């Protein structure tokens, strides 16, 4: 049965600045949309249950944490990871006692605060022509039905000559109250019976007792019918990517709500409060100092029936957590991260023209492909139905997509448990190969995590502080097989290989600690983050390259170029050993990098644990109880025989060089704790053997 749908035009609209979605109603009531917008026109659409295209796929797992399990957010995510990650996505149902207040329902916000929307052409999310071809031919016309008075006519709707990129058309501004009315009216008209809808007044917003709402299965079947077999235009609004830092989070925040009997405080400090989640202990995003919108600052999503979020992975392949504050369910589809390349291949196979025009199409979040098609291509796809008050967790590099079944409001943010680190490393290498900018400094997160872990190990192993929760959490990712240890060693190997391919004439210099403190430093070619190492030249001192693109930097002679290293590979080896819980390495790193030991407490016997070629660095070292010497140049362990031997670089300006000096003259030697320490003399390279 084909049914008539008449879209409802809601009340006054106002124009706002796109970068300030929180606004109140304007006096002039002017809308930024034209008469052809969904809100401003009357159209017809059709629903035929017989033509439903509901995918036949398996469900993703659902988890029901106990009150005790729910107390530790990062711990619970880690607990369910092995079971849930193979599905790419899962649903988490909080304990019944967990019911946070939502500030967005406060009367002044609900009725006055306005948010911006986008117009989504649902019928074109999968089946559309490339914009280039569309602009060139102007042959695509879709029939749009409009009513003028009581007379129905049809008009041809050629593509707008101003369309430059699909899926980014700005929509109306709404209050929550206005959007609720519009969304309910749309859904009732689309799925209601014609004879019933003729008697429904425009200001009726709630479901009528005379109207039987469609089931979730019917809505899902119709959604994919629109996507796969479109017959009419279906355009909806979506209030997507609304920054909680500007519009306001749905969760309580200490600065926005007053405590009542401790309940607000309970939800304000909860790890499941998405304002807190990214920087919880155990999430490496706690080392990200900037408030990156959509990563560490949550985004809000206000949806209506059929409003969609298309296939995508999170930035840097991060985890994401989505909470549905209120309203009709969301239906999600997830693909495990292990099958991300298979999904990408299937998308390119079935939509070749779109990918030819825009190779980065999947980064734009404007394209769907039916789960049925993906399943036929051997890509596993799983379904999640998220209800109000529930969380959906997506895993690293897990593609996900979905749509809303009616009016609702959700909030989402990213999180990065330590097990994310290898996924994040893969992401930045992939971004580099695609010449794509990064959102966070992966090396900064990796090194920040490592410093925190060594500090925790120091307190545990040397101070006996075994009752600190965060100490245990960081200890659990250390050791020879620890996730953090493996991530650091993998990064060390990568850095060693890249340094090994550099021209021998390049100078190695120590990077200043504040090198990227105020300004982001990225490769001029591939945008690779340069927190750990960077290359430059005297001809362009403010321009930098990553180690992979040193040769592209300029045509100057190699001796004019230089490489800046935050840590040498020798120093990173010490860090790796410290993370493996080697006591002497923990003590050395705690002294040298964390400042937890005084110089007099940094005993020289620590050198005896280091590998050949390990750089020790400038420091005052203890000889006897009341005697010490100053090393005026960096000291490096040369080789190990019956006793350790050390060598200085002599010149003082090549302290991070890996040159090993065995023979020389003009040196002053002094035996310290069974070691030969070489001191600088006469400005010449020098060294000794025991």
């Amino acid at each position: 049965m084909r049914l008539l749908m008449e879209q409802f035009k809601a009340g006054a609209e106002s124009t706002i600045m796109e970068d300030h979605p929180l606004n109140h109603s304007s006096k002039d009531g002017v809308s930024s949309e034209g008469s052809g917008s969904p809100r401003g026109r009357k159209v017809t659409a059709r629903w035929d249950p017989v033509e439903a295209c509901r995918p036949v796929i398996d469900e993703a797992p659902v988890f029901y944490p106990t009150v005790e399990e729910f107390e530790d957010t990062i711990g619970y995510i880690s607990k369910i990871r092995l079971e849930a990650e193979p599905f790419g996505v899962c649903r988490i149902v909080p304990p019944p006692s967990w019911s946070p207040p939502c500030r967005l329902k406060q009367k002044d916000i609900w009725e006055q605060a306005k948010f911006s929307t986008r117009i989504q052409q649902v019928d074109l999310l999968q089946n559309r022509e490339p914009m280039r071809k569309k602009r060139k031919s102007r042959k695509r016309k879709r029939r749009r039905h409009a009513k003028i008075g009581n007379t129905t006519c049809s008009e041809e709707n050629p593509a707008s000559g101003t369309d430059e990129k699909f899926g980014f058309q700005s929509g109306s501004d709404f209050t929550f109250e206005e959007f609720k009315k519009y969304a309910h009216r749309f859904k009732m008209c689309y799925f209601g019976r014609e004879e019933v809808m003729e008697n429904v007044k425009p200001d009726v917003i709630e479901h009528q007792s005379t109207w039987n709402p469609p089931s979730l299965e019917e809505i899902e079947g119709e959604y994919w019918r629109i996507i796969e077999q479109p017959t009419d235009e279906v355009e909806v609004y979506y209030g997507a990517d609304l920054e909680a830092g500007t519009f306001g989070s749905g969760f309580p925040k200490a600065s926005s709500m007053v405590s009542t009997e401790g309940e607000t405080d309970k939800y304000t400090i909860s790890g499941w409060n998405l304002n807190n989640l990214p920087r919880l202990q155990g999430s490496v995003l706690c080392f990200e100092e900037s408030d990156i919108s959509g990563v560490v600052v949550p985004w809000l999503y206000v949806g209506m029936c059929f409003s969609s979020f298309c296939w995508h992975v999170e930035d840097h392949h991060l985890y994401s957590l989505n909470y549905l504050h209120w309203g009709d369910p969301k239906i999600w589809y997830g693909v495990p991260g292990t099958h991300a390349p298979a999904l990408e291949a299937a998308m390119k196979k079935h939509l070749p023209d779109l990918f030819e025009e825009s190779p980065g199409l999947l980064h734009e979040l404007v394209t769907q492909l039916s789960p049925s098609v993906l399943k036929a291509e051997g890509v596993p796809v799983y379904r999640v139905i998220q209800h109000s008050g529930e969380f959906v967790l997506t895993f690293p590099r897990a593609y996900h997509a979905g749509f809303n079944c009616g009016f609702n409001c959700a909030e989402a943010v990213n999180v990065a448990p330590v097990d994310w680190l290898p996924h994040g490393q893969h992401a930045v290498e992939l971004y580099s190969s695609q010449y794509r900018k990064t959102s966070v400094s992966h090396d900064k997160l990796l090194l920040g995590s490592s410093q925190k872990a060594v500090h925790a190990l120091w307190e545990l192993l040397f101070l006996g502080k075994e009752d600190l929760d965060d100490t245990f959490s960081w200890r659990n990712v250390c050791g020879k097989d620890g996730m953090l240890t493996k991530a650091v060693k993998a990064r060390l190997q990568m850095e060693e290989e890249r340094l090994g391919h550099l021209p021998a004439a390049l100078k190695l210099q120590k990077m200043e600690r504040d090198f990227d403190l105020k300004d982001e430093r990225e490769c001029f070619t591939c945008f690779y983050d340069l927190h750990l190492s960077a290359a430059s030249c005297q001809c362009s001192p403010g321009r930098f390259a990553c180690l992979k693109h040193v040769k592209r930097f300029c045509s100057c002679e190699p001796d004019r170029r230089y490489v800046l290293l935050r840590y040498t590979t020798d120093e990173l080896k010490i860090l790796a050993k410290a993370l493996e819980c080697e006591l002497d390495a923990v003590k050395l790193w705690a002294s040298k990098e964390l400042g937890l030991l005084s110089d007099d407490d940094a005993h020289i016997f620590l050198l005896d644990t280091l590998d050949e070629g390990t750089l020790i660095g400038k420091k005052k070292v203890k000889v006897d109880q009341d005697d010490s010497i100053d090393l005026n140049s960096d000291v490096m362990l040369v080789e190990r025989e019956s006793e350790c031997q050390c060598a200085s670089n002599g010149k003082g300006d090549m302290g991070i060089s890996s040159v090993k000096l065995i023979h020389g003259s003009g040196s002053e030697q002094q035996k310290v704790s069974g070691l030969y320490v070489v001191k600088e003399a006469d400005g010449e390279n020098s060294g000794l053997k025991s």
Side-chain angles (χ1 to χ4, degrees):
M1 178 178 64
R2 298 201 177 272
L3 303 174
L4 179 69
M5 187 282 287
E6 179 181 292
Q7 283 195 328
F8 162 69
K9 181 176 181 179
E13 309 169 47
S14 64
T15 303
I16 61 172
M17 298 294 290
E18 289 186 7
D19 58 343
H20 296 287
L22 176 57
N23 277 280
H24 297 280
S25 300
S26 62
K27 296 181 180 180
D28 56 12
V30 176
S31 170
S32 60
E33 289 185 81
S35 59
S37 70
R39 194 176 184 180
R41 70 167 187 265
K42 299 177 181 180
V43 301
T44 62
R46 303 161 179 173
W47 174 48
D48 188 347
V50 176
E51 298 179 355
C53 296
R54 186 171 186 258
V56 180
I57 55 177
D58 293 331
E59 305 291 321
V62 184
F63 296 91
Y64 298 87
T66 65
V67 173
E68 183 179 2
E69 290 174 326
F70 203 66
E71 290 295 319
D72 182 4
T73 310
I74 300 297
Y76 189 72
I77 291 174
S78 298
K79 181 177 182 178
I80 66 175
R81 178 175 67 90
L82 290 180
E83 181 180 350
E85 190 169 20
F87 297 87
V89 63
C90 71
R91 180 162 59 107
I92 300 174
V93 181
S97 60
W98 201 79
S99 181
C102 184
R103 62 176 292 278
L104 301 176
K105 289 189 173 182
Q106 296 174 5
K107 183 178 177 63
D108 60 331
I109 296 177
W110 185 266
E111 296 181 354
Q112 299 183 52
K114 292 220 171 209
F115 59 87
S116 57
T117 65
R118 303 172 188 169
I119 297 174
Q120 288 190 323
Q121 298 170 283
V122 183
D123 57 305
L124 299 182
L125 292 178
Q126 178 176 308
N127 292 284
R128 65 177 183 271
E129 292 180 344
M131 298 299 289
R132 180 181 64 248
K133 182 177 179 181
K134 184 177 172 183
R135 289 193 296 269
K136 183 177 179 180
S137 65
R138 299 294 181 201
K139 290 182 179 180
R140 175 194 175 270
K141 296 182 181 180
R142 300 181 64 81
R143 187 168 298 275
R144 174 181 293 163
H145 300 276
K147 276 193 173 183
I148 303 177
N150 293 323
T151 304
T152 301
C153 65
S154 64
E155 60 175 337
E156 298 296 343
N157 179 37
S160 170
T162 60
D163 289 346
E164 293 298 330
K165 203 166 189 178
F166 175 79
F168 293 92
Q169 183 180 354
S170 297
S172 297
D173 305 324
F174 289 88
T175 64
F176 285 109
E177 180 68 20
E178 292 169 344
F179 199 78
K180 178 181 179 181
K181 290 180 180 180
Y182 180 84
H184 280 331
R185 177 71 180 179
F186 173 90
K187 187 174 179 179
M188 290 172 67
C189 290
Y190 195 97
F191 289 100
R193 293 181 179 177
E194 182 176 356
E195 60 271 19
V196 173
M197 296 316 302
E198 288 178 351
N199 298 318
V200 176
K201 297 180 181 180
D203 60 348
V204 175
I205 63 172
E206 301 297 339
H207 293 194
Q208 304 298 302
S209 59
T210 56
W211 178 63
N212 293 321
S215 66
L216 296 181
E217 290 78 8
E218 288 176 321
I219 296 175
E220 185 181 18
E222 175 62 6
Y223 176 79
W224 288 109
R225 197 280 305 168
I226 296 170
I227 298 292
E228 295 185 65
Q229 303 171 13
T231 55
D232 292 273
E233 287 188 348
V234 179
E235 294 186 343
V236 298
Y237 292 104
Y238 197 12
D241 301 343
L242 306 175
E243 185 178 333
T246 302
F247 191 86
S249 170
F251 288 98
K253 298 176 72 173
S255 60
S256 62
M257 300 194 73
V258 180
S259 174
T260 57
E261 301 180 358
E263 279 299 299
T264 299
D265 286 340
K266 167 187 173 182
Y267 296 112
T268 300
I269 64 176
S270 171
W272 297 92
N273 181 325
L274 299 191
N275 297 291
N276 304 327
L277 177 68
R279 292 190 169 113
L280 291 177
Q281 281 294 330
S283 169
V284 302
L285 286 175
C286 69
F287 303 104
E288 176 52 59
E289 298 175 352
S290 302
D291 289 334
I292 304 172
S293 178
V295 177
V296 296
V297 177
W299 273 347
L300 287 170
Y301 300 85
V302 187
M304 61 178 287
C305 190
F306 300 146
S307 59
S308 310
F309 48 105
C310 298
W311 288 111
H312 69 287
V313 294
E314 298 298 309
D315 283 351
H316 288 259
H317 301 170
L318 289 159
Y319 284 77
S320 74
L321 192 67
N322 182 293
Y323 181 74
L324 190 57
H325 284 292
W326 76 72
D328 292 341
K330 282 180 182 283
I331 297 183
W332 294 67
Y333 306 93
V335 171
T338 52
H339 288 75
L343 178 140
E344 294 165 358
M347 296 278 284
K348 293 174 182 178
K349 175 182 176 180
H350 288 271
L351 305 171
D353 291 344
L354 297 183
F355 278 91
E356 181 182 358
E357 178 182 65
S358 179
L361 184 64
L362 285 171
H363 302 151
E364 298 173 7
L365 283 74
V366 295
T367 306
Q368 293 285 49
L369 187 65
S370 169
S372 300
V373 175
L374 292 172
K375 183 179 177 181
E377 292 291 338
V379 180
V381 186
Y382 301 96
R383 178 192 291 110
V384 165
I385 299 178
Q386 179 189 21
H387 299 273
S388 177
E390 297 177 349
F391 291 94
V392 166
L393 178 69
T394 70
F395 289 86
R397 210 188 177 187
Y399 273 96
H400 49 282
F403 68 96
N404 299 291
C405 294
F407 174 61
N408 60 24
C409 179
E411 189 165 346
V413 79
N414 292 121
V415 65
V418 176
D419 63 81
W420 162 81
L421 284 170
H423 300 283
Q425 188 68 61
H426 178 271
V428 294
E429 301 305 322
L430 181 65
Y431 287 6
S432 173
S433 68
Q434 297 172 342
Y435 301 95
R436 181 182 173 191
K437 283 182 172 289
T438 59
S439 301
V440 299
S441 168
H442 182 84
D443 284 334
K444 186 180 292 185
L445 302 184
L446 178 63
L447 293 174
S449 304
S450 302
Q451 301 280 34
K452 178 68 174 180
V454 174
H455 190 285
L457 289 172
W458 162 257
E459 291 188 330
L460 179 68
L461 300 174
F462 291 92
L463 303 182
K465 293 185 178 180
E466 298 185 7
D467 57 343
L468 299 180
D469 291 339
D470 63 327
T471 298
F472 285 124
S473 68
W474 289 107
R475 182 187 182 187
N476 291 339
V477 297
C478 297
K480 289 187 179 296
D481 296 322
M483 289 180 288
L484 180 56
T485 308
K486 288 181 177 179
V488 169
K489 292 173 78 172
R491 185 67 180 94
L492 167 61
Q493 181 180 354
M494 192 179 300
E495 195 76 351
E496 278 190 305
E497 291 175 354
R498 291 172 182 172
L499 286 169
H501 286 90
L502 295 180
L506 251 62
K507 300 175 183 177
L508 303 180
Q509 300 179 9
K510 195 70 173 177
M511 178 186 288
E512 296 293 335
R513 287 187 176 271
D514 61 354
F515 172 69
D516 58 350
L517 184 62
K518 296 182 179 179
D519 300 311
E520 292 182 2
R521 304 289 191 178
E522 59 187 16
C523 176
F524 80 105
T525 295
C526 69
F527 307 111
Y528 197 82
D529 178 72
L530 304 178
H531 180 72
L532 186 60
S533 56
S536 189
C537 181
Q538 297 175 21
C539 71
S540 307
R543 189 165 170 253
F544 300 94
C546 69
L547 299 186
K548 294 181 295 184
H549 295 123
V550 173
K551 295 180 180 179
R552 298 188 191 179
F553 191 79
C554 64
S555 58
C556 295
E557 293 298 321
D559 60 0
R560 290 178 54 83
R561 305 182 199 176
Y562 54 91
V563 173
L564 302 175
L565 300 178
R566 185 171 298 274
Y567 296 111
T568 68
T569 55
D570 294 327
E571 289 172 320
L572 292 176
K573 287 177 182 177
I574 299 174
L575 175 59
K577 287 181 178 292
L579 294 173
E580 289 179 341
C581 301
E582 292 194 11
L583 296 181
D584 290 336
V586 171
K587 196 169 185 179
L588 181 58
W589 193 268
S591 169
K592 181 172 179 168
E593 295 299 329
L594 303 182
L596 298 177
L597 289 171
S598 66
D599 287 341
D600 287 342
D601 289 332
H603 294 286
I604 196 66
F605 75 84
L606 295 175
L607 303 183
D608 196 37
T609 68
L610 304 179
D611 292 335
E612 294 181 8
T614 301
L615 177 72
I616 305 306
K618 297 184 179 71
K619 61 170 67 254
K620 181 182 289 186
V621 296
K622 187 169 183 178
V623 181
D624 296 311
Q625 293 297 322
D626 56 356
D627 189 20
S628 63
I629 60 173
D630 288 322
L631 302 181
N632 298 317
S633 61
D634 287 353
V635 177
M636 183 172 60
L637 188 66
V638 177
E639 63 183 32
R640 190 184 306 283
E641 292 180 355
S642 59
E643 293 186 42
C644 297
Q645 300 137 32
C646 297
S648 74
N649 58 35
K651 293 185 178 180
D653 62 351
M654 295 176 60
I656 60 175
S657 172
S658 60
V659 176
K660 297 179 181 180
L661 302 173
I662 304 299
H663 300 288
S665 60
S667 299
E668 177 185 350
Q669 65 172 327
Q670 183 160 0
K671 189 171 183 178
V672 182
S673 299
L675 301 178
Y676 285 108
V677 177
V678 178
K679 295 182 66 178
E680 183 175 36
D682 300 329
E684 295 181 359
N685 292 347
S686 57
L688 278 180
K689 244 185 168 181
S690 59

